[in-house]
Every structure is written in structure tokens, then in C-alpha cells.
């Protein structure tokens, strides 16, 4: 219930003590509607995979799905991802967040989560950790870490099983793959977990040890919610908290180390247009699973189209991320992508390239 300014002024003038009525939960039905809770987190509806209505009830510490009318195919994507998060998601940043923060600068990252489940629905209880080679606050990040606290129905993570591991004293089945826009490493619990307090950094370090990211990457957001395919009314995040502390010994702009990669940049230039074919070679001893190549186009150049990549930006600083079919580059192997563009003045090529945040040599 909202108290009008007039009532507040009258109360102050008269010196009366008026009891604050209990605040009803906020209800969000807008497709991408969001609100802040606790002065620290953002709750979002995020109904991205269906035109059917979904409504959530937001509490002081989380949210519940009030109604969910969409139905997705269990062989495809979920219909939504209502969630609560700390950090930045598509330019929507939680109040006072210190994210993005470089992984090397993190001394600790802890979180606590409590879920409430329902029966008869198809969904996963997903905890998302997002990372990118740059401190971006918008769009899709290059690396997603998903922790599946619960899985109900005939659904599975992106990619394929690559093994098992133990993190935080728990056993996890590990999946790895790409959805075409970003690389994904998923940790699936063998049985439902309703609540847990843990170190987010443990999962980040495991992904780093798998070669998917480096310490120069940035942690951009921490999220917890549900991916429903069928049903889901009554699912709830009853409590969520996350804290990321700096002072890990890193700096926000460390020297860029040399990585095990080599880039070939071949162009065809005419009048005021050009095409570029970019070949990324993995000169290291282990496979790359998910890649993001950063480079800056010289002034006067702009991209008009691309292929075999998900390209962020059209001019200036760009990031080319792998497509679904070329996310893995074996040791000694390579992959190529290309783009077309326009230019004015003298034509020049980018002077430097970084792969997953570290510098590549030029062929």
C-alpha cells in the first residue's frame, strides 16, 4: 500500500506515530518487468521464450511464480527465466553493485540460496554465474556457468557430459557446450538441493581450470531462478544473497598475457567496402571450448554483416563470439569467421587481437 505525500506531511506536522501497514508483494506480469528488493538485488520476470503471460510475486528476499501459461518443447529452450540477481544484466544493474569485477581481483564470492519446489512441472532450478573478457554490462556475456539445483522432467543442459567433479563437498555431473551465443558449463546435482550456502568462486575457479576463462575475465552477475518448460506456478526463490569482495591481489587493468593463439586477418578491399576473413588458430596443448575474440576496427570502418560468429558491435571495439557449430577449437586446430563492412579514408587492419581476454600473435 502506498502512503501519499500529504498523509506523511500531516503525520509529521501533528507528531502522530502512524504504524506502517504491511506491504503487499509486488506482482510483475510485464514480459521483462523488474524491481529492486532489499536495496541490493533485482528481481526480473524475463519471459523471453513465449508470448503467453507469466506473472511473479516479488517478496523482500526473492519471488514466486504466480502463473505460467507458456509451454515449451522439452527438446528445445525453456519459456522464461524469472530470477533474482546481483550485478548487471542487459544494462540493468543492481543497486550499489561492485560488478563487473575482474576474477583476479576477487578475494571471495559467497552466496546463499533457498528454493521451494512444486510437483508435476517440467523445469530446472538454475543458479547462473556470468563472465566475459570485458567488463560489459549489456548484452550476452561470453561464458555462462549454470548450477542445476533441481531438474524435473525430460530436460538436459546444453552440450554433453564431460565428467563429474566435487565442489563445495558436493558431487556434480558436468556438462559443457555452446548455445550459439555463449559458452556454457553446467553443474547438475544428482538430487534436488533446497538450500545451500557456498563459494561462487569455487565454480569460477573450476571453469578457469578447464581452460574456458582466464583470471583476466570479469564476473558480471550472479543470478538464481527457474527455467520452466511446462507449468511452474508455485516455484519460488525464498531467499537469496550474494557478496563479492575485492582485494584478491589483481588489478582492474593488468598487463595482458600472451595466450596460445594466432590470428590471420585476410581482407578483400574495394572502393568504400571490404570483407575480412579471420582465422583463429589454437597453438596451445588443450582444446578451447567457447571463445571470444576481441579487436578494434580502425576509425571510419563499420560492419554491415557477418557469418560463422556472433559479433557484438559494428564499429570501434568489437567482440566476435563463437557460433553454435564452431565453439570448440582442438589443440593445433583452427576456425574461421568473417564479416563485411564499409570504410572511409585509408583502409587499415586491426592492430591487435585478444582471445578470451589474452593477447594473440599475428600470422
Amino acid at each position: 500500500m502506498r502512503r501519499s505525500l500529504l498523509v506523511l506531511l500531516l503525520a509529521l506536522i501533528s507528531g502522530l506515530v502512524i504504524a506502517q501497514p504491511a506491504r503487499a508483494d509486488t506482482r510483475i506480469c510485464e514480459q521483462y518487468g523488474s524491481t529492486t528488493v532489499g536495496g541490493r538485488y533485482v528481481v526480473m520476470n524475463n519471459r523471453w521464450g513465449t508470448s503467453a503471460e507469466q506473472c511473479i510475486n516479488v517478496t523482500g528476499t526473492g519471488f514466486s511464480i504466480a502463473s505460467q501459461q507458456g509451454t515449451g518443447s522439452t527438446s528445445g529452450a525453456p519459456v522464461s527465466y524469472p530470477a533474482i540477481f546481483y550485478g548487471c544484466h542487459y544494462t540493468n544493474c543492481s543497486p550499489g553493485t561492485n560488478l563487473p569485477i575482474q576474477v583476479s581481483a576477487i578475494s571471495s564470492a559467497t552466496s546463499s540460496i533457498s528454493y521451494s519446489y512444486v510437483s508435476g512441472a517440467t523445469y530446472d532450478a538454475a543458479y547462473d554465474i556470468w563472465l566475459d573478457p570485458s567488463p560489459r554490462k549489456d548484452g550476452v556475456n561470453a561464458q555462462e556457468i549454470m548450477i542445476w539445483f533441481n531438474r524435473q522432467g525430460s530436460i538436459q543442459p546444453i552440450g554433453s557430459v564431460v565428467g563429474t567433479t566435487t565442489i563445495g563437498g558436493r558431487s556434480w555431473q558436468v556438462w559443457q557446450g555452446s548455445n550459439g551465443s555463449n559458452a556454457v558449463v553446467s553443474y547438475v546435482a544428482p538430487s534436488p538441493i533446497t538450500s545451500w550456502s557456498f563459494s561462487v568462486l569455487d565454480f569460477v575457479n573450476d571453469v578457469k581450470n578447464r581452460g574456458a576463462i582466464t583470471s583476466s575475465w570479469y564476473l558480471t552477475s550472479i543470478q538464481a531462478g527457474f527455467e520452466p518448460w511446462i507449468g511452474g506456478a508455485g516455484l519460488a526463490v525464498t531467499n537469496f544473497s550474494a557478496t563479492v569482495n575485492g582485494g584478491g591481489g589483481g588489478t582492474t587493468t593488468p598487463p595482458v598475457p600472451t595466450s596460445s593463439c594466432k590470428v590471420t586477418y585476410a581482407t578483400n578491399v574495394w572502393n568504400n567496402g571490404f570483407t575480412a576473413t579471420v582465422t583463429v588458430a589454437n597453438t596451445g596443448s588443450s582444446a578451447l571450448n567457447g571463445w571470444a575474440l576481441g579487436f578494434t576496427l580502425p576509425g571510419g570502418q563499420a560492419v554491415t554483416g557477418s557469418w560463422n560468429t556472433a559479433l557484438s558491435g559494428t564499429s570501434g571495439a568489437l567482440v566476435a563470439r563463437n557460433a553454435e557449430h564452431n565453439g570448440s577449437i582442438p589443440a593445433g586446430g583452427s576456425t574461421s569467421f568473417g564479416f563485411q563492412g564499409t570504410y572511409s579514408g585509408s583502409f587499415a587492419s586491426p592492430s591487435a587481437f585478444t582471445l578470451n581476454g589474452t593477447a594473440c600473435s599475428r600470422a
Side-chain angles (χ1 to χ4, degrees), residues 294-315:
F295 57 98
T296 299
L297 288 180
Q301 296 184 16
V303 175
T304 57
S306 63
W307 53 92
N308 292 333
T309 183
L311 194 61
S312 298
T314 58
S315 62

Side-chain angles (χ1 to χ4, degrees), residues 19-178:
Q20 177 68 38
R23 184 183 62 85
D25 292 346
T26 301
R27 187 179 181 92
I28 299 176
C29 298
E30 293 82 7
Q31 183 174 8
Y32 299 113
S34 69
T35 189
T36 59
V37 297
R40 181 174 173 82
Y41 307 109
V42 174
V43 174
M44 60 182 177
N45 196 19
N46 201 11
R47 174 176 51 83
W48 61 271
T50 179
S51 59
E53 185 180 73
Q54 172 180 276
C55 295
I56 60 173
N57 289 333
V58 182
T59 68
T61 57
F63 70 93
S64 63
I65 300 178
S67 64
Q68 204 293 102
Q69 306 300 325
T71 299
S73 169
T74 55
S75 61
V79 298
S80 64
Y81 179 49
I84 181 172
F85 69 86
Y86 176 78
C88 295
H89 178 88
Y90 283 82
T91 71
N92 188 1
C93 295
S94 58
T97 182
N98 61 343
L99 303 186
I101 185 173
Q102 203 158 42
V103 171
S104 62
I106 300 174
S107 60
S108 65
T110 56
S111 184
S112 181
I113 180 71
S114 295
Y115 288 103
S116 179
Y117 303 131
V118 298
S119 59
T122 299
Y123 65 91
D124 67 73
Y127 190 104
D128 265 14
I129 304 164
W130 287 94
L131 302 111
D132 197 80
S134 61
R136 65 182 303 168
K137 299 179 181 180
D138 63 336
V140 178
N141 289 184
Q143 181 66 57
E144 178 183 13
I145 302 174
M146 291 192 74
I147 309 172
W148 286 39
F149 278 66
N150 191 3
R151 171 172 53 169
Q152 296 296 316
S154 56
I155 55 174
Q156 66 181 43
I158 290 167
S160 57
V161 177
V162 296
T164 60
T165 190
T166 300
I167 298 178
R170 295 180 180 272
S171 177
W172 306 91
Q173 185 185 59
V174 185
W175 294 63
Q176 199 160 358
S178 172

